[in-house]
Amino acid sequence: MSTRQIRWSASPELAALLRRYYAGEAELWGEVQTIVHQELMDRGLAVFPRHLRFRRTESGYEVLIEDAEEYLTGL
């Protein structure tokens, strides 16, 4: 696991959007990003280029975020 990776369980609102997004509503991506960025700001973290992933769980989704440069270089 990356030392700069951030993880949390998606809120019910975000999980519902992700279900719709993955079902084919690609236009929801901007709204998904807005919710994730707001969560980062609420946690006192700067919003800068990040690699954003979601992992399906039994109860919804897990949000996985890594520094974009670190993700690309593997460093």
PDB file of all heavy atoms in Angstrom, residues 12-42:
ATOM      1  N   PRO A  12     -23.492   6.978   2.012  1.00  0.00           N
ATOM      2  CA  PRO A  12     -24.612   6.410   1.253  1.00  0.00           C
ATOM      3  C   PRO A  12     -24.906   7.203  -0.023  1.00  0.00           C
ATOM      4  O   PRO A  12     -25.220   6.610  -1.065  1.00  0.00           O
ATOM      5  CB  PRO A  12     -25.784   6.482   2.240  1.00  0.00           C
ATOM      6  CG  PRO A  12     -25.138   6.417   3.588  1.00  0.00           C
ATOM      7  CD  PRO A  12     -23.844   7.191   3.425  1.00  0.00           C
ATOM      8  N   GLU A  13     -24.781   8.536   0.034  1.00  0.00           N
ATOM      9  CA  GLU A  13     -25.014   9.379  -1.142  1.00  0.00           C
ATOM     10  C   GLU A  13     -24.014   9.059  -2.252  1.00  0.00           C
ATOM     11  O   GLU A  13     -24.393   8.878  -3.415  1.00  0.00           O
ATOM     12  CB  GLU A  13     -24.904  10.855  -0.759  1.00  0.00           C
ATOM     13  CG  GLU A  13     -25.001  11.798  -1.953  1.00  0.00           C
ATOM     14  CD  GLU A  13     -24.645  13.240  -1.600  1.00  0.00           C
ATOM     15  OE1 GLU A  13     -24.051  13.496  -0.538  1.00  0.00           O
ATOM     16  OE2 GLU A  13     -24.951  14.099  -2.436  1.00  0.00           O
ATOM     17  N   LEU A  14     -22.732   8.969  -1.894  1.00  0.00           N
ATOM     18  CA  LEU A  14     -21.705   8.666  -2.879  1.00  0.00           C
ATOM     19  C   LEU A  14     -21.868   7.244  -3.404  1.00  0.00           C
ATOM     20  O   LEU A  14     -21.749   7.007  -4.610  1.00  0.00           O
ATOM     21  CB  LEU A  14     -20.307   8.866  -2.285  1.00  0.00           C
ATOM     22  CG  LEU A  14     -19.128   8.550  -3.206  1.00  0.00           C
ATOM     23  CD1 LEU A  14     -19.218   9.342  -4.509  1.00  0.00           C
ATOM     24  CD2 LEU A  14     -17.819   8.814  -2.484  1.00  0.00           C
ATOM     25  N   ALA A  15     -22.173   6.299  -2.538  1.00  0.00           N
ATOM     26  CA  ALA A  15     -22.369   4.908  -2.976  1.00  0.00           C
ATOM     27  C   ALA A  15     -23.519   4.816  -3.987  1.00  0.00           C
ATOM     28  O   ALA A  15     -23.404   4.107  -4.999  1.00  0.00           O
ATOM     29  CB  ALA A  15     -22.631   4.005  -1.775  1.00  0.00           C
ATOM     30  N   ALA A  16     -24.596   5.548  -3.748  1.00  0.00           N
ATOM     31  CA  ALA A  16     -25.725   5.539  -4.689  1.00  0.00           C
ATOM     32  C   ALA A  16     -25.301   6.115  -6.041  1.00  0.00           C
ATOM     33  O   ALA A  16     -25.663   5.576  -7.098  1.00  0.00           O
ATOM     34  CB  ALA A  16     -26.897   6.319  -4.112  1.00  0.00           C
ATOM     35  N   LEU A  17     -24.547   7.215  -6.019  1.00  0.00           N
ATOM     36  CA  LEU A  17     -24.049   7.797  -7.268  1.00  0.00           C
ATOM     37  C   LEU A  17     -23.121   6.831  -7.993  1.00  0.00           C
ATOM     38  O   LEU A  17     -23.186   6.694  -9.219  1.00  0.00           O
ATOM     39  CB  LEU A  17     -23.293   9.091  -6.996  1.00  0.00           C
ATOM     40  CG  LEU A  17     -24.107  10.358  -6.846  1.00  0.00           C
ATOM     41  CD1 LEU A  17     -23.196  11.518  -6.473  1.00  0.00           C
ATOM     42  CD2 LEU A  17     -24.860  10.672  -8.112  1.00  0.00           C
ATOM     43  N   LEU A  18     -22.245   6.154  -7.248  1.00  0.00           N
ATOM     44  CA  LEU A  18     -21.324   5.203  -7.865  1.00  0.00           C
ATOM     45  C   LEU A  18     -22.061   4.030  -8.507  1.00  0.00           C
ATOM     46  O   LEU A  18     -21.694   3.595  -9.603  1.00  0.00           O
ATOM     47  CB  LEU A  18     -20.304   4.702  -6.839  1.00  0.00           C
ATOM     48  CG  LEU A  18     -19.261   5.728  -6.425  1.00  0.00           C
ATOM     49  CD1 LEU A  18     -18.479   5.242  -5.208  1.00  0.00           C
ATOM     50  CD2 LEU A  18     -18.330   6.060  -7.580  1.00  0.00           C
ATOM     51  N   ARG A  19     -23.091   3.531  -7.864  1.00  0.00           N
ATOM     52  CA  ARG A  19     -23.890   2.452  -8.466  1.00  0.00           C
ATOM     53  C   ARG A  19     -24.462   2.914  -9.802  1.00  0.00           C
ATOM     54  O   ARG A  19     -24.416   2.187 -10.796  1.00  0.00           O
ATOM     55  CB  ARG A  19     -25.005   2.006  -7.526  1.00  0.00           C
ATOM     56  CG  ARG A  19     -24.534   1.075  -6.429  1.00  0.00           C
ATOM     57  CD  ARG A  19     -25.689   0.439  -5.680  1.00  0.00           C
ATOM     58  NE  ARG A  19     -26.440   1.397  -4.881  1.00  0.00           N
ATOM     59  CZ  ARG A  19     -26.083   1.810  -3.678  1.00  0.00           C
ATOM     60  NH1 ARG A  19     -25.003   1.353  -3.112  1.00  0.00           N
ATOM     61  NH2 ARG A  19     -26.819   2.684  -3.024  1.00  0.00           N
ATOM     62  N   ARG A  20     -24.986   4.120  -9.838  1.00  0.00           N
ATOM     63  CA  ARG A  20     -25.538   4.661 -11.084  1.00  0.00           C
ATOM     64  C   ARG A  20     -24.447   4.892 -12.126  1.00  0.00           C
ATOM     65  O   ARG A  20     -24.630   4.571 -13.309  1.00  0.00           O
ATOM     66  CB  ARG A  20     -26.291   5.960 -10.801  1.00  0.00           C
ATOM     67  CG  ARG A  20     -27.583   5.741 -10.018  1.00  0.00           C
ATOM     68  CD  ARG A  20     -28.262   7.035  -9.639  1.00  0.00           C
ATOM     69  NE  ARG A  20     -28.473   7.905 -10.776  1.00  0.00           N
ATOM     70  CZ  ARG A  20     -28.643   9.215 -10.671  1.00  0.00           C
ATOM     71  NH1 ARG A  20     -28.607   9.810  -9.482  1.00  0.00           N
ATOM     72  NH2 ARG A  20     -28.833   9.951 -11.746  1.00  0.00           N
ATOM     73  N   TYR A  21     -23.303   5.432 -11.682  1.00  0.00           N
ATOM     74  CA  TYR A  21     -22.179   5.687 -12.584  1.00  0.00           C
ATOM     75  C   TYR A  21     -21.725   4.380 -13.238  1.00  0.00           C
ATOM     76  O   TYR A  21     -21.576   4.300 -14.453  1.00  0.00           O
ATOM     77  CB  TYR A  21     -21.035   6.345 -11.811  1.00  0.00           C
ATOM     78  CG  TYR A  21     -19.771   6.473 -12.614  1.00  0.00           C
ATOM     79  CD1 TYR A  21     -19.638   7.461 -13.583  1.00  0.00           C
ATOM     80  CD2 TYR A  21     -18.717   5.586 -12.423  1.00  0.00           C
ATOM     81  CE1 TYR A  21     -18.479   7.580 -14.339  1.00  0.00           C
ATOM     82  CE2 TYR A  21     -17.553   5.694 -13.169  1.00  0.00           C
ATOM     83  CZ  TYR A  21     -17.450   6.686 -14.129  1.00  0.00           C
ATOM     84  OH  TYR A  21     -16.306   6.784 -14.876  1.00  0.00           O
ATOM     85  N   TYR A  22     -21.518   3.354 -12.422  1.00  0.00           N
ATOM     86  CA  TYR A  22     -21.040   2.074 -12.949  1.00  0.00           C
ATOM     87  C   TYR A  22     -22.110   1.339 -13.752  1.00  0.00           C
ATOM     88  O   TYR A  22     -21.786   0.437 -14.521  1.00  0.00           O
ATOM     89  CB  TYR A  22     -20.486   1.191 -11.830  1.00  0.00           C
ATOM     90  CG  TYR A  22     -19.140   1.671 -11.338  1.00  0.00           C
ATOM     91  CD1 TYR A  22     -18.933   1.990 -10.007  1.00  0.00           C
ATOM     92  CD2 TYR A  22     -18.069   1.825 -12.209  1.00  0.00           C
ATOM     93  CE1 TYR A  22     -17.702   2.440  -9.550  1.00  0.00           C
ATOM     94  CE2 TYR A  22     -16.832   2.274 -11.774  1.00  0.00           C
ATOM     95  CZ  TYR A  22     -16.661   2.570 -10.451  1.00  0.00           C
ATOM     96  OH  TYR A  22     -15.440   3.019 -10.005  1.00  0.00           O
ATOM     97  N   ALA A  23     -23.361   1.743 -13.603  1.00  0.00           N
ATOM     98  CA  ALA A  23     -24.441   1.163 -14.412  1.00  0.00           C
ATOM     99  C   ALA A  23     -24.559   1.847 -15.766  1.00  0.00           C
ATOM    100  O   ALA A  23     -25.399   1.477 -16.580  1.00  0.00           O
ATOM    101  CB  ALA A  23     -25.768   1.243 -13.658  1.00  0.00           C
ATOM    102  N   GLY A  24     -23.728   2.874 -16.009  1.00  0.00           N
ATOM    103  CA  GLY A  24     -23.710   3.497 -17.326  1.00  0.00           C
ATOM    104  C   GLY A  24     -23.977   4.986 -17.370  1.00  0.00           C
ATOM    105  O   GLY A  24     -23.967   5.573 -18.446  1.00  0.00           O
ATOM    106  N   GLU A  25     -24.192   5.627 -16.235  1.00  0.00           N
ATOM    107  CA  GLU A  25     -24.466   7.063 -16.227  1.00  0.00           C
ATOM    108  C   GLU A  25     -23.157   7.844 -16.081  1.00  0.00           C
ATOM    109  O   GLU A  25     -22.877   8.449 -15.048  1.00  0.00           O
ATOM    110  CB  GLU A  25     -25.441   7.415 -15.109  1.00  0.00           C
ATOM    111  CG  GLU A  25     -26.833   6.827 -15.326  1.00  0.00           C
ATOM    112  CD  GLU A  25     -27.812   7.261 -14.262  1.00  0.00           C
ATOM    113  OE1 GLU A  25     -28.002   8.488 -14.077  1.00  0.00           O
ATOM    114  OE2 GLU A  25     -28.375   6.361 -13.597  1.00  0.00           O
ATOM    115  N   ALA A  26     -22.358   7.820 -17.144  1.00  0.00           N
ATOM    116  CA  ALA A  26     -21.027   8.435 -17.125  1.00  0.00           C
ATOM    117  C   ALA A  26     -21.060   9.927 -16.810  1.00  0.00           C
ATOM    118  O   ALA A  26     -20.090  10.467 -16.260  1.00  0.00           O
ATOM    119  CB  ALA A  26     -20.326   8.203 -18.456  1.00  0.00           C
ATOM    120  N   GLU A  27     -22.152  10.591 -17.093  1.00  0.00           N
ATOM    121  CA  GLU A  27     -22.240  12.033 -16.836  1.00  0.00           C
ATOM    122  C   GLU A  27     -22.200  12.367 -15.344  1.00  0.00           C
ATOM    123  O   GLU A  27     -22.043  13.524 -14.968  1.00  0.00           O
ATOM    124  CB  GLU A  27     -23.503  12.619 -17.473  1.00  0.00           C
ATOM    125  CG  GLU A  27     -24.811  12.176 -16.838  1.00  0.00           C
ATOM    126  CD  GLU A  27     -25.353  10.834 -17.323  1.00  0.00           C
ATOM    127  OE1 GLU A  27     -24.683  10.156 -18.124  1.00  0.00           O
ATOM    128  OE2 GLU A  27     -26.456  10.455 -16.890  1.00  0.00           O
ATOM    129  N   LEU A  28     -22.297  11.370 -14.480  1.00  0.00           N
ATOM    130  CA  LEU A  28     -22.253  11.588 -13.036  1.00  0.00           C
ATOM    131  C   LEU A  28     -20.831  11.730 -12.497  1.00  0.00           C
ATOM    132  O   LEU A  28     -20.642  12.063 -11.331  1.00  0.00           O
ATOM    133  CB  LEU A  28     -22.953  10.440 -12.297  1.00  0.00           C
ATOM    134  CG  LEU A  28     -24.454  10.317 -12.531  1.00  0.00           C
ATOM    135  CD1 LEU A  28     -24.987   9.073 -11.846  1.00  0.00           C
ATOM    136  CD2 LEU A  28     -25.178  11.555 -12.053  1.00  0.00           C
ATOM    137  N   TRP A  29     -19.815  11.501 -13.341  1.00  0.00           N
ATOM    138  CA  TRP A  29     -18.430  11.533 -12.869  1.00  0.00           C
ATOM    139  C   TRP A  29     -18.083  12.862 -12.202  1.00  0.00           C
ATOM    140  O   TRP A  29     -17.420  12.883 -11.168  1.00  0.00           O
ATOM    141  CB  TRP A  29     -17.462  11.218 -14.002  1.00  0.00           C
ATOM    142  CG  TRP A  29     -16.044  11.167 -13.530  1.00  0.00           C
ATOM    143  CD1 TRP A  29     -15.036  11.990 -13.909  1.00  0.00           C
ATOM    144  CD2 TRP A  29     -15.481  10.266 -12.566  1.00  0.00           C
ATOM    145  NE1 TRP A  29     -13.868  11.642 -13.250  1.00  0.00           N
ATOM    146  CE2 TRP A  29     -14.119  10.595 -12.415  1.00  0.00           C
ATOM    147  CE3 TRP A  29     -16.002   9.222 -11.799  1.00  0.00           C
ATOM    148  CZ2 TRP A  29     -13.273   9.912 -11.540  1.00  0.00           C
ATOM    149  CZ3 TRP A  29     -15.151   8.545 -10.932  1.00  0.00           C
ATOM    150  CH2 TRP A  29     -13.812   8.892 -10.817  1.00  0.00           C
ATOM    151  N   GLY A  30     -18.489  13.975 -12.755  1.00  0.00           N
ATOM    152  CA  GLY A  30     -18.205  15.281 -12.158  1.00  0.00           C
ATOM    153  C   GLY A  30     -18.799  15.406 -10.764  1.00  0.00           C
ATOM    154  O   GLY A  30     -18.165  15.947  -9.854  1.00  0.00           O
ATOM    155  N   GLU A  31     -20.003  14.899 -10.581  1.00  0.00           N
ATOM    156  CA  GLU A  31     -20.652  14.944  -9.269  1.00  0.00           C
ATOM    157  C   GLU A  31     -19.916  14.041  -8.267  1.00  0.00           C
ATOM    158  O   GLU A  31     -19.734  14.410  -7.100  1.00  0.00           O
ATOM    159  CB  GLU A  31     -22.118  14.517  -9.405  1.00  0.00           C
ATOM    160  CG  GLU A  31     -22.952  14.839  -8.209  1.00  0.00           C
ATOM    161  CD  GLU A  31     -24.437  14.605  -8.437  1.00  0.00           C
ATOM    162  OE1 GLU A  31     -24.874  14.472  -9.595  1.00  0.00           O
ATOM    163  OE2 GLU A  31     -25.162  14.554  -7.430  1.00  0.00           O
ATOM    164  N   VAL A  32     -19.474  12.877  -8.733  1.00  0.00           N
ATOM    165  CA  VAL A  32     -18.686  11.969  -7.890  1.00  0.00           C
ATOM    166  C   VAL A  32     -17.419  12.682  -7.431  1.00  0.00           C
ATOM    167  O   VAL A  32     -17.081  12.688  -6.241  1.00  0.00           O
ATOM    168  CB  VAL A  32     -18.348  10.668  -8.656  1.00  0.00           C
ATOM    169  CG1 VAL A  32     -17.282   9.856  -7.919  1.00  0.00           C
ATOM    170  CG2 VAL A  32     -19.605   9.830  -8.881  1.00  0.00           C
ATOM    171  N   GLN A  33     -16.707  13.313  -8.360  1.00  0.00           N
ATOM    172  CA  GLN A  33     -15.477  14.027  -8.018  1.00  0.00           C
ATOM    173  C   GLN A  33     -15.734  15.163  -7.032  1.00  0.00           C
ATOM    174  O   GLN A  33     -14.944  15.380  -6.110  1.00  0.00           O
ATOM    175  CB  GLN A  33     -14.816  14.582  -9.272  1.00  0.00           C
ATOM    176  CG  GLN A  33     -14.172  13.522 -10.121  1.00  0.00           C
ATOM    177  CD  GLN A  33     -13.500  14.129 -11.325  1.00  0.00           C
ATOM    178  OE1 GLN A  33     -14.085  14.943 -12.031  1.00  0.00           O
ATOM    179  NE2 GLN A  33     -12.260  13.752 -11.549  1.00  0.00           N
ATOM    180  N   THR A  34     -16.814  15.881  -7.208  1.00  0.00           N
ATOM    181  CA  THR A  34     -17.161  16.977  -6.304  1.00  0.00           C
ATOM    182  C   THR A  34     -17.347  16.470  -4.879  1.00  0.00           C
ATOM    183  O   THR A  34     -16.849  17.077  -3.921  1.00  0.00           O
ATOM    184  CB  THR A  34     -18.436  17.692  -6.794  1.00  0.00           C
ATOM    185  OG1 THR A  34     -18.170  18.263  -8.076  1.00  0.00           O
ATOM    186  CG2 THR A  34     -18.878  18.773  -5.828  1.00  0.00           C
ATOM    187  N   ILE A  35     -18.036  15.347  -4.714  1.00  0.00           N
ATOM    188  CA  ILE A  35     -18.257  14.787  -3.382  1.00  0.00           C
ATOM    189  C   ILE A  35     -16.938  14.350  -2.763  1.00  0.00           C
ATOM    190  O   ILE A  35     -16.669  14.604  -1.583  1.00  0.00           O
ATOM    191  CB  ILE A  35     -19.266  13.616  -3.445  1.00  0.00           C
ATOM    192  CG1 ILE A  35     -20.660  14.161  -3.767  1.00  0.00           C
ATOM    193  CG2 ILE A  35     -19.275  12.830  -2.135  1.00  0.00           C
ATOM    194  CD1 ILE A  35     -21.691  13.094  -4.053  1.00  0.00           C
ATOM    195  N   VAL A  36     -16.078  13.701  -3.551  1.00  0.00           N
ATOM    196  CA  VAL A  36     -14.779  13.261  -3.035  1.00  0.00           C
ATOM    197  C   VAL A  36     -13.912  14.462  -2.657  1.00  0.00           C
ATOM    198  O   VAL A  36     -13.297  14.482  -1.591  1.00  0.00           O
ATOM    199  CB  VAL A  36     -14.067  12.343  -4.050  1.00  0.00           C
ATOM    200  CG1 VAL A  36     -12.622  12.065  -3.625  1.00  0.00           C
ATOM    201  CG2 VAL A  36     -14.832  11.034  -4.211  1.00  0.00           C
ATOM    202  N   HIS A  37     -13.878  15.484  -3.506  1.00  0.00           N
ATOM    203  CA  HIS A  37     -13.094  16.680  -3.197  1.00  0.00           C
ATOM    204  C   HIS A  37     -13.597  17.353  -1.924  1.00  0.00           C
ATOM    205  O   HIS A  37     -12.800  17.817  -1.110  1.00  0.00           O
ATOM    206  CB  HIS A  37     -13.119  17.661  -4.364  1.00  0.00           C
ATOM    207  CG  HIS A  37     -12.290  17.210  -5.517  1.00  0.00           C
ATOM    208  ND1 HIS A  37     -12.264  17.875  -6.714  1.00  0.00           N
ATOM    209  CD2 HIS A  37     -11.461  16.149  -5.674  1.00  0.00           C
ATOM    210  CE1 HIS A  37     -11.454  17.249  -7.541  1.00  0.00           C
ATOM    211  NE2 HIS A  37     -10.956  16.196  -6.932  1.00  0.00           N
ATOM    212  N   GLN A  38     -14.902  17.411  -1.737  1.00  0.00           N
ATOM    213  CA  GLN A  38     -15.454  18.015  -0.531  1.00  0.00           C
ATOM    214  C   GLN A  38     -15.044  17.213   0.700  1.00  0.00           C
ATOM    215  O   GLN A  38     -14.698  17.790   1.735  1.00  0.00           O
ATOM    216  CB  GLN A  38     -16.978  18.121  -0.615  1.00  0.00           C
ATOM    217  CG  GLN A  38     -17.595  18.835   0.575  1.00  0.00           C
ATOM    218  CD  GLN A  38     -17.099  20.261   0.718  1.00  0.00           C
ATOM    219  OE1 GLN A  38     -17.155  21.047  -0.213  1.00  0.00           O
ATOM    220  NE2 GLN A  38     -16.583  20.607   1.892  1.00  0.00           N
ATOM    221  N   GLU A  39     -15.064  15.887   0.585  1.00  0.00           N
ATOM    222  CA  GLU A  39     -14.629  15.043   1.702  1.00  0.00           C
ATOM    223  C   GLU A  39     -13.159  15.303   2.041  1.00  0.00           C
ATOM    224  O   GLU A  39     -12.789  15.391   3.216  1.00  0.00           O
ATOM    225  CB  GLU A  39     -14.838  13.566   1.361  1.00  0.00           C
ATOM    226  CG  GLU A  39     -14.394  12.608   2.447  1.00  0.00           C
ATOM    227  CD  GLU A  39     -15.267  12.608   3.693  1.00  0.00           C
ATOM    228  OE1 GLU A  39     -16.467  12.927   3.597  1.00  0.00           O
ATOM    229  OE2 GLU A  39     -14.732  12.294   4.783  1.00  0.00           O
ATOM    230  N   LEU A  40     -12.324  15.448   1.018  1.00  0.00           N
ATOM    231  CA  LEU A  40     -10.911  15.756   1.256  1.00  0.00           C
ATOM    232  C   LEU A  40     -10.773  17.079   2.000  1.00  0.00           C
ATOM    233  O   LEU A  40     -10.014  17.185   2.969  1.00  0.00           O
ATOM    234  CB  LEU A  40     -10.142  15.808  -0.069  1.00  0.00           C
ATOM    235  CG  LEU A  40      -9.899  14.470  -0.746  1.00  0.00           C
ATOM    236  CD1 LEU A  40      -9.382  14.686  -2.164  1.00  0.00           C
ATOM    237  CD2 LEU A  40      -8.941  13.621   0.066  1.00  0.00           C
ATOM    238  N   MET A  41     -11.495  18.098   1.555  1.00  0.00           N
ATOM    239  CA  MET A  41     -11.429  19.408   2.212  1.00  0.00           C
ATOM    240  C   MET A  41     -11.954  19.329   3.641  1.00  0.00           C
ATOM    241  O   MET A  41     -11.391  19.937   4.547  1.00  0.00           O
ATOM    242  CB  MET A  41     -12.169  20.453   1.387  1.00  0.00           C
ATOM    243  CG  MET A  41     -11.435  20.791   0.096  1.00  0.00           C
ATOM    244  SD  MET A  41     -12.126  22.168  -0.854  1.00  0.00           S
ATOM    245  CE  MET A  41     -13.734  21.544  -1.281  1.00  0.00           C
ATOM    246  N   ASP A  42     -13.037  18.564   3.854  1.00  0.00           N
ATOM    247  CA  ASP A  42     -13.585  18.395   5.201  1.00  0.00           C
ATOM    248  C   ASP A  42     -12.573  17.733   6.133  1.00  0.00           C
ATOM    249  O   ASP A  42     -12.585  17.973   7.335  1.00  0.00           O
ATOM    250  CB  ASP A  42     -14.868  17.563   5.168  1.00  0.00           C
ATOM    251  CG  ASP A  42     -16.034  18.293   4.535  1.00  0.00           C
ATOM    252  OD1 ASP A  42     -15.942  19.522   4.292  1.00  0.00           O
ATOM    253  OD2 ASP A  42     -17.056  17.618   4.244  1.00  0.00           O
TER     254      ASP A  42
END
